[in-house]
Amino acid sequence: YLASDPLCWKNRELLDRPPAVPAQAGDWIPHKPPMTMVDRILAVSEWNIVESVIRPDNRFLRDGVLDNDAIPEIAAQACAAVTGFEQNSHELGGFLTALRAIRCLEPVRSGDVLHVEFRQTAHIDNFYTLEFRIRRTSDGVICADGEISTCEFS
């Protein structure tokens, strides 16, 4: 019996276990720095939660404030991370197909730690619609919310 060998017959039940959270989000998305804007998967449930730390070198910062155009991208990356995590796949790809009712309610600044909370509201074939909200952890304020649609391919 080889305890360190995941293929050993005594470890078989471990192969079917899903990975544990928290998990590094970057391991589950196709994006690479400097485009990666999500850091950790915190919860996988009806409302998934992914953490995003806005670093000073973020290419979407203008005078220390995150450009609102980055908000849907952060939400989409959070969705991609959880999807890869749930399917235990590092090979998934996809893209944003639609944005609806995106509201940027409060500015996001360099150094902010955000929780991207989202849930799936519709699914047809490889197309998904997701409701999201982005909450600043320091004060609990919702900085943005809305709905995105994505297409997944492998």
Side-chain angles (χ1 to χ4, degrees), residues 17-29:
R17 281 191 192 160
V21 291
Q24 293 301 312
D27 293 345
W28 303 100
I29 61 174

Side-chain angles (χ1 to χ4, degrees), residues 3-19 86-88:
S4 64
D5 182 0
L7 299 178
C8 178
W9 65 273
K10 280 196 153 195
N11 295 328
R12 174 135 175 82
E13 71 278 356
L14 299 176
L15 294 175
D16 297 329
R17 281 191 192 160
E86 285 181 316
Q87 296 182 19
N88 199 16

Side-chain angles (χ1 to χ4, degrees), residues 111-138:
D112 281 349
V113 178
L114 307 173
H115 281 179
V116 183
E117 305 166 358
F118 68 94
R119 66 180 178 156
Q120 180 180 306
T121 57
H123 172 218
I124 300 173
D125 293 327
N126 290 356
F127 293 90
Y128 300 84
T129 300
L130 306 133
E131 176 185 0
F132 77 90
R133 57 185 176 239
I134 297 179
R135 186 182 310 273
R136 188 171 38 235
T137 62
S138 62

Side-chain angles (χ1 to χ4, degrees), residues 38-113:
V38 292
D39 295 280
R40 292 188 313 148
I41 300 169
L42 301 178
V44 177
S45 60
E46 180 185 355
W47 279 93
N48 303 286
I49 303 173
V50 175
E51 184 176 80
S52 173
V53 178
I54 306 303
R55 292 181 174 71
D57 63 346
N58 186 303
R59 60 179 38 196
F60 294 99
L61 285 173
R62 306 288 180 262
D63 298 321
V65 176
L66 190 72
D67 190 322
N68 289 341
D69 292 341
I71 295 297
E73 179 62 24
I74 292 172
Q77 286 188 25
C79 298
V82 169
T83 300
F85 180 85
E86 285 181 316
Q87 296 182 19
N88 199 16
S89 174
H90 301 277
E91 306 298 322
L92 290 178
F95 53 91
L96 273 167
T97 58
L99 311 173
R100 280 182 292 288
I102 305 292
R103 298 185 316 154
C104 296
L105 306 167
E106 291 288 328
V108 174
R109 293 184 165 69
S110 177
D112 281 349
V113 178

